[in-house]
Amino acid sequence: EPDYESMHLHLAALADEYNSAEDLHQVDDNLAELYAHACECNKVVQEEVKAIAQQVGGVSLLPSVKRIGRVFEKATLCYDGDITRVLDVARAAIEVKSVDQLRRCVELIV
């Protein structure tokens, strides 16, 4: 059984350390250009995530890019219409079962 409490504490510390998302922005401020670029990058992002998941013994979760309507909705509702603040158009995740796997993922990503 995974130690969820320990994983939560490590994730919280990691989030505090990298809590500068307000400083991050997309280069494109045009929704169509941003979406096209995300579609181009998605395959590369997912291949990298697959490789990292294999290295740490995790499982890669590879959804399609966020729908363009949802990107617009998120920009409107969460960022006062600022498309450049939507950072998760191309998406992927790694599911792990231990803090050690999580730590190794972070080391490989950062």
Side-chain angles (χ1 to χ4, degrees):
E1 182 72 24
D3 180 2
Y4 292 112
E5 184 175 340
S6 180
M7 288 175 72
H8 176 76
L9 293 173
H10 284 282
L11 284 172
L14 183 65
D16 286 344
E17 184 176 341
Y18 293 98
N19 196 16
S20 61
E22 288 188 26
D23 298 334
L24 298 176
H25 289 77
Q26 297 284 356
V27 175
D28 294 312
D29 62 359
N30 176 289
L31 178 58
E33 291 175 15
L34 172 76
Y35 195 76
H37 188 242
C39 289
E40 290 173 16
C41 293
N42 195 51
K43 186 170 184 161
V44 174
V45 167
Q46 291 189 349
E47 289 301 318
E48 290 293 322
V49 166
K50 278 189 217 176
I52 292 170
Q54 285 180 334
Q55 288 180 53
V56 303
V59 176
S60 56
L61 306 172
L62 308 170
S64 61
V65 293
K66 190 178 294 268
R67 291 177 293 115
I68 196 165
R70 177 64 184 126
V71 175
F72 179 77
E73 178 184 44
K74 187 170 183 179
T76 302
L77 296 176
C78 299
Y79 303 119
D80 199 27
D82 185 357
I83 294 292
T84 67
R85 299 281 309 280
V86 182
L87 302 175
D88 61 343
V89 182
R91 317 176 278 174
I94 300 172
E95 181 179 292
V96 296
K97 295 189 178 187
S98 72
V99 173
D100 184 54
Q101 287 177 311
L102 175 62
R103 188 176 297 114
R104 290 182 9 230
C105 278
V106 172
E107 288 170 356
L108 290 168
I109 293 168
V110 179

